[in-house]
Amino acid sequence: AQSVTQLGSHVSVSEGALVLLRCNYSSSVPPYLFWYVQYPNQGLQLLLKYTSAATLVKGINGFEAEFKKSETSFHLTKPSAHMSDAAEYFCAVSGGGTSYGKLTFGQGTILTVHP
Amino acid sequence: GAVVSQHPSRVICKSGTSVKIECRSLDFQATTMFWYRQFPKQSLMLMATSNEGSKATYEQGVEKDKFLINHASLTLSTLTVTSAHPEDSSFYICSARDASGLTYNEQFFGPGTRLTVL
């Protein structure tokens, strides 16, 4: 079984401030982990993914995430928020067994960026 | 590369009618496609996994006879919502997995279809 918990359904930051979106996962096998962004009425766009290579993963638009096995975490960060970062962000895990290849999503975190 | 399209992007129908949504992988072959639904302010919930040339695998609680899935080719999967009712109103998103190369475990998402049943 696999699951994802995103801490904080809403995060609000000022433009230029650090963005930190939290994600903890549960998986019975070494996981693949993903962060997606969704703008209103649109599909999902992949920001970055962890596939058992480097634990610090760099993605698009200045985002990065660090895989920490001991903490079962995969938090998303960006040093300086931009107004265009305002969107909903989903963390997802893909594991093995009967869930192989399937994505399980977290509840989502809405990021608001204030000028 | 790895573009997935959905058609239509938005559909409004009357209660009791059937609606078909198409999902196409435009520049790769997708042996597996996934269908999700997303209610307002909620996350994506997997409805079914569709493998080319075989029957779809539905998640627990998803009615097979209501949500008919066909994956007749390596680039096209369709979801038909039969006898739609207002509670079926939702945002339906498909994704496709490229079975070749380095992106095997990654899903590429379509832009979604907003279904409103009156």
Side-chain angles (χ1 to χ4, degrees), chain B residues 2-116:
Chain B
V3 178
V4 176
S5 70
Q6 276 184 247
H7 179 79
S9 59
R10 185 181 296 267
V11 57
I12 301 173
C13 69
K14 294 182 179 180
S15 184
T17 60
S18 294
V19 175
K20 180 184 285 187
I21 302 170
E22 292 186 348
C23 177
R24 294 182 184 271
S25 57
L26 298 184
D27 50 4
F28 66 98
Q29 293 185 330
T31 53
T32 305
M33 290 184 170
F34 302 86
W35 287 96
Y36 298 83
R37 65 187 301 181
Q38 184 180 30
F39 290 108
K41 303 187 186 303
Q42 294 188 28
S43 188
L44 280 76
M45 297 299 295
L46 180 65
M47 299 174 65
T49 302
S50 166
N51 291 299
E52 185 265 338
S54 63
K55 291 184 178 181
T57 303
Y58 291 81
E59 296 299 301
Q60 192 172 8
V62 177
E63 298 177 60
K64 302 177 183 181
D65 295 332
K66 179 157 191 67
F67 299 100
L68 300 179
I69 292 172
N70 183 279
H71 192 164
S73 78
L74 288 173
T75 59
L76 174 64
S77 176
T78 60
L79 168 68
T80 301
V81 183
T82 63
S83 187
H85 290 283
E87 57 265 30
D88 298 323
S89 298
S90 187
F91 194 52
Y92 292 86
I93 304 175
C94 73
S95 70
R97 192 168 68 198
D98 185 350
S100 64
L102 299 176
T103 62
Y104 178 70
N105 208 280
E106 183 176 338
Q107 294 180 27
F108 301 97
F109 286 82
T113 297
R114 173 74 60 192
L115 171 62
T116 303

